[in-house]
Each structure stands twice: as C-alpha cells, then as structure tokens.
C-alpha cells in the first residue's frame, strides 16, 4: 500500500470513528468469508462491519481522540462502526458470537466512553430504542387518558346539573300572575328604572 493510500485509509477510518455513535472492536480469527458476510448482513441498518489493519486503525483512533482500543489492536481485527441503535448492534454481535465462538468481542466505545467486552454484553441485554419508545408512548397515552377522565368528569357532572335545571324550569312553566307582580314590586327594580332614565338624558323629577 502506497503512502497516499495509507493516508487516505487513515483519514477514512478517523472519519468513521468521529461520525459513529459507537464502535466495537472484534477479532475474527478463523471465520470464513461467508460467516463475515452473514455478520455484516445481521448488523445492516445499525452498524458497518469493517476488517481493518491494526497500524492504520491505531493512527486513525489517535487522530479521532479514541483511546478505548489502546493495546488491543492485535490479531485479525474488524470493527463494527455503529451508526444506528447501539443496543441493536450489540445484540447482533453478541448473538453472532454465541453461534460462532470464533468471533471475539474485545471492547468498544460508546459516545466517548470506553466499554469492556462484559459491558457490551450488558448493553445487548437492554431493550432497544424502539421498544423503549413504544413503552414511553404507552405510558404517555395512559397518562393522557387519566387526564382526559379527570377533566371530563367535572364537565359531565356540570352538564347533568344544567340538564336537570332546564327540565325543572320547563316543568314549572313561565312565571305568571302574583309571581310576576311580586317581581315588579321588588325594591331593586326602581333604582334600575331611574338609572335607565338618567342614562337616556331624562329628568328624574
């Protein structure tokens, strides 16, 4: 590989480190091309699995400020650069390693934090982003339903009270006779009438 090719390869790897949500370092000694292809396919949508050269990767990691792989870049190395859900990528690697023990998960980095192989396994045991969002949406819907009930209950009670009052008025009929006379003789009505005359420019005398 020429010097120019090496420089380009380091720059490409460095950019992958910088643009990825996470990266998982693996050793694939003994795995066939077919098995590596299966692994790539299983990670598709969440991570890109790339076979890398240790010396170039060491330079790229240093350029990107990644120290998680210091001292671990030995043997046949491949890195899963995670662009999607880190949990789903960790699940894919873990499940593949269970079925193909020749794949060794050595460590990783997540949002700048160094992860051990054991921590990556724990990450794989977590629920995916989609599941967590679904649960959150369910919890929010439940809360909204409770809120709607709390708001609707007083409104329905008020509606029943208004309906009962309307039915009572209809059953008693309009005010007539002595009730009307009593209403007209109410002391509060006289001042109201006087106030109206003054407002219209009339003389109270």
């Amino acid at each position: 590989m020429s010097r120019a090719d090496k420089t380009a390869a380091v720059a490409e790897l460095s950019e992958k480190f910088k643009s990825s949500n996470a990266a998982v370092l693996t050793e694939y000694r003994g795995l066939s091309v077919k098995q590596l292809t299966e692994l790539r396919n299983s990670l598709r949508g969440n991570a890109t699995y790339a076979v890398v050269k240790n010396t170039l990767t060491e330079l790229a990691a240093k350029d990107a400020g990644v120290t998680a792989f210091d001292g671990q870049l030995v043997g046949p190395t491949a890195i899963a650069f995670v662009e999607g859900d880190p949990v789903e990528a960790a699940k894919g690697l873990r499940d593949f390693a269970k079925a193909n023990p020749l794949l060794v998960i050595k460590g990783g980095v997540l949002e700048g934090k160094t992860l051990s192989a054991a921590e990556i396994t724990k990450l794989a045991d977590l629920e995916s982003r989609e599941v967590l969002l679904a649960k959150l949406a369910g919890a929010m819907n439940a809360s909204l339903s409770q809120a709607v009930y709390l708001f609707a209950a007083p409104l329905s009670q008020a509606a029943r009270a208004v309906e009962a009052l309307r039915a009572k008025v209809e059953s008693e009929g309009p005010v007539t006779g002595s009730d009307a006379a009593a209403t007209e003789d109410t002391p509060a009505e006289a001042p109201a009438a006087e106030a109206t005359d003054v407002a219209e420019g009339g003389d109270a005398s």
Side-chain angles (χ1 to χ4, degrees), residues 144-161:
L144 288 173
S145 297
Q146 292 173 1
V148 169
Y149 173 77
L150 291 175
F151 282 114
L155 290 175
S156 63
Q157 292 171 6
R160 287 195 296 271

Side-chain angles (χ1 to χ4, degrees), residues 8 24 45 50 75 100 109 120 122 167 176 196:
V24 180
N100 303 272
V109 57
I120 293 172
K122 290 181 180 179
T176 57
T196 302

Side-chain angles (χ1 to χ4, degrees), residues 168-177 179-180:
K168 184 174 186 297
V169 171
E170 289 181 351
S171 65
E172 291 179 351
V175 178
T176 57
D179 290 337

Side-chain angles (χ1 to χ4, degrees), residues 92-103:
L93 289 167
R94 179 202 60 190
D95 294 345
F96 187 88
K98 284 182 178 180
N100 303 272
L102 291 176
L103 179 72

Side-chain angles (χ1 to χ4, degrees), residues 34-46:
K34 180 181 179 181
Q35 288 172 315
L36 290 176
T37 300
E38 291 175 356
L39 177 55
R40 286 191 179 95
N41 291 337
S42 70
L43 297 175
R44 186 167 296 164
N46 288 301

Side-chain angles (χ1 to χ4, degrees), residues 70-125:
D70 290 356
Q72 297 194 68
L73 291 167
V74 294
T77 300
I79 299 177
F81 292 101
V82 182
E83 303 94 8
D85 188 344
V87 173
E88 286 297 319
K91 287 181 188 295
L93 289 167
R94 179 202 60 190
D95 294 345
F96 187 88
K98 284 182 178 180
N100 303 272
L102 291 176
L103 179 72
V104 179
I105 299 174
K106 302 174 73 173
V109 57
L110 173 63
E111 300 291 350
K113 181 182 182 300
T114 300
L115 298 178
S116 66
E119 287 173 325
I120 293 172
T121 299
K122 290 181 180 179
L123 180 64
D125 291 334

Side-chain angles (χ1 to χ4, degrees), residues 5-16:
D5 289 339
K6 289 181 180 179
T7 300
V10 169
E12 183 179 356
L13 285 171
S14 177
E15 181 57 31
K16 282 184 176 294

